[in-house]
Amino acid sequence: MAKANATHAPVLGIETSCDETGVAVYDQARGLMAHALHSQVDLHAVYGGVVPELASRDHVRRLLLLVERVLEQAGLQQGDLAGIAYTAGPGLVGALLVGASVARALAWGLGIPCLGVHHMEAHLLAPMLEPQPPAPPFVALLVSGGHTMLVHVRGIGEYEVLGETLDDALGEAFDKTAKILGLGYPGGPALSALAEGGDPRRFRFPRPMTDRPGLEFSFSGIKTFALNTFREAGPEAAADVARAFEEAVVDTLVIKSRRALQRTGARRLVVAGGVSANRRLRAALTELGGALGVGVYFPRPEFCTDNGAMVALTGALRLRAGEQARDLRIVVRPRWPLSELRPPGGRGVRADRRAPLPRPA
Ligand code: KG4
Ligand code: ZN
């Protein structure tokens, strides 16, 4: 890296893939130096979900201010930065382009390397921001608003997807069920809070796809089950329905995670993505780890949901290995399979490597 030396190579990380503007500085030697987040929840709440165009515009409004704030917190000038990383996908195309454009322009102006990173890899590596970071190989359970998957992580960048959801992502199922119960957006935390006071014995929801082998998930049926139960039982049953839903999905994730650990023989389980902030899920998976003698690792709750710290960390790992955007095109990938990634410095398919440059006529 241009201005890096062995002890001091602060990397700026920028996350704008959806409805949070996240910025952070991570330094391999000193760890996380500063981070800041602006959540757009209030902006989208009146619409009951994320409005992509509003998300992009708000990222434009917030991003540079957050960059300034984070640099100040870290006690750094722009010129001290050794590299910049941004989320290049998957995510909302307009929102991704804001972070990508700002990152590339800043890096170009400063003459430092810049790299687009994969949002789900960043989630997966977020537990490495904690004091006891997990070392590969491990099984990762990734549960966010857009993705639900079990991944066998043999090393950084060596990802075998063992199973994914066939329909709704888990966070999406939480949000949709919350909406059915009359809770606001985003519904995951609200549903979870309501479930606390619910009776776990009143309703029993199905544990989808657990009665057959395999590591796929399906959550759309359980959401419909919640809708029908709630319609039949009436509004006073909301907390009990929330509890039954949460019990069922947590059980399902425990069953599938156990299966993935047994199939791979891995001795560590990493859980990340927005839904990994869920208290009941954390408790159940920690218990599973205890029963199997497997170490279970989560990010701290604020780094479960989208944030700049995980992007800065992921960027630092890959920039250090010599990866960087090589031409001036700014490329984002709204869809980007995790399995395309390669180990840091390897000849993987990076965001900026997808399409060849068009040849001049
Ligand atoms: O990872 P994330 O911030 O964004 C995506 O990459 O999608 O995940 C957001 C999702 C939302 O669906 C939100 O409702 C859910 O994570 N979530 C939760 C909790 N906190 C966030 N779901 C259940 N319990 C929570 N405590
Ligand atoms: Zn995310």
Side-chain angles (χ1 to χ4, degrees):
M1 287 162 67
K3 297 194 180 179
N5 60 49
T7 54
H8 182 191
V11 170
L12 184 73
I14 293 178
E15 157 62 37
T16 64
S17 67
C18 189
D19 59 348
E20 334 259 3
T21 319
V23 181
V25 179
Y26 179 86
D27 180 297
Q28 208 101 47
R30 290 183 288 188
L32 186 63
M33 297 178 69
H35 65 100
L37 187 85
H38 175 78
S39 166
Q40 301 179 353
V41 161
D42 295 342
L43 180 69
H44 301 293
V46 282
Y47 303 97
V50 178
V51 183
E53 180 59 22
L54 294 183
S56 311
R57 291 178 193 209
D58 201 56
H59 288 308
V60 171
R61 255 192 308 270
R62 309 284 174 180
L63 185 50
L64 284 173
L65 291 171
L66 285 185
V67 169
E68 276 174 23
R69 194 199 299 170
V70 157
L71 286 174
E72 195 184 313
Q73 267 178 32
L76 297 174
Q77 310 284 325
Q78 283 187 5
D80 298 324
L81 290 173
I84 301 181
Y86 60 94
T87 301
L92 301 171
V93 64
L96 290 167
L97 274 169
V98 177
S101 312
V102 167
R104 293 296 309 272
L106 255 181
W108 191 76
L110 294 167
I112 57 176
C114 193
L115 181 68
V117 306
H118 193 292
H119 183 75
M120 296 313 292
E121 176 175 59
H123 272 305
L124 189 156
L125 297 179
M128 296 192 173
L129 292 159
E130 303 307 327
Q132 266 143 20
F138 53 74
V139 165
L141 171 65
L142 302 181
V143 280
S144 71
H147 296 85
T148 302
M149 50 175 116
L150 278 160
V151 186
H152 189 195
V153 178
R154 293 196 172 80
I156 292 172
E158 294 178 73
Y159 307 130
E160 183 195 351
V161 177
L162 301 168
E164 287 184 272
T165 179
L166 304 177
D167 40 57
D168 292 350
L170 182 59
E172 195 181 354
F174 262 95
D175 294 342
K176 287 178 176 170
T177 304
K179 203 178 241 180
I180 290 167
L181 300 179
L183 304 171
Y185 165 85
L191 186 149
S192 177
L194 182 66
E196 283 303 301
D199 177 358
R201 285 169 302 272
R202 179 161 172 203
F203 304 113
R204 184 170 168 86
F205 282 27
R207 274 64 174 153
M209 304 190 71
T210 52
D211 55 352
R212 56 186 115 156
L215 294 168
E216 271 76 40
F217 301 93
S218 164
F219 295 110
S220 72
I222 204 166
K223 168 198 70 194
T224 311
F225 201 90
L227 175 67
N228 294 337
T229 309
F230 186 56
R231 274 201 186 137
E232 241 168 64
E236 58 76 33
D240 299 337
V241 171
R243 183 63 180 266
F245 170 85
E246 203 179 52
E247 295 278 342
V249 297
V250 166
D251 242 21
T252 304
L253 293 180
V254 167
I255 292 167
K256 298 280 162 130
S257 300
R258 183 192 294 119
R259 243 180 234 178
L261 287 163
Q262 283 164 347
R263 185 191 286 186
T264 57
R267 306 303 306 153
R268 282 175 285 274
L269 174 67
V270 160
V271 192
V275 186
S276 67
N278 185 276
R279 223 183 45 78
R280 204 173 294 283
L281 179 64
R282 292 170 87 97
L285 291 172
T286 303
E287 198 183 313
L288 173 72
L292 298 179
V294 162
V296 185
Y297 301 82
F298 304 91
R300 73 193 81 165
E302 67 174 321
F303 293 155
C304 289
T305 43
D306 292 348
N307 65 86
M310 65 186 193
V311 175
L313 170 101
T314 306
L317 284 171
R318 290 190 170 276
L319 284 161
R320 192 179 57 162
E323 287 186 33
Q324 62 171 293
R326 298 282 173 192
D327 61 50
L328 288 178
R329 292 176 313 154
I330 298 175
V331 180
V332 295
R333 293 194 58 184
R335 290 171 184 278
W336 187 3
L338 187 66
S339 54
E340 281 186 13
L341 297 186
R342 295 293 175 266
R347 291 161 48 83
V349 183
R350 289 202 306 270
D352 61 311
R353 281 279 180 81
R354 183 175 47 143
L357 266 182
R359 288 185 179 282

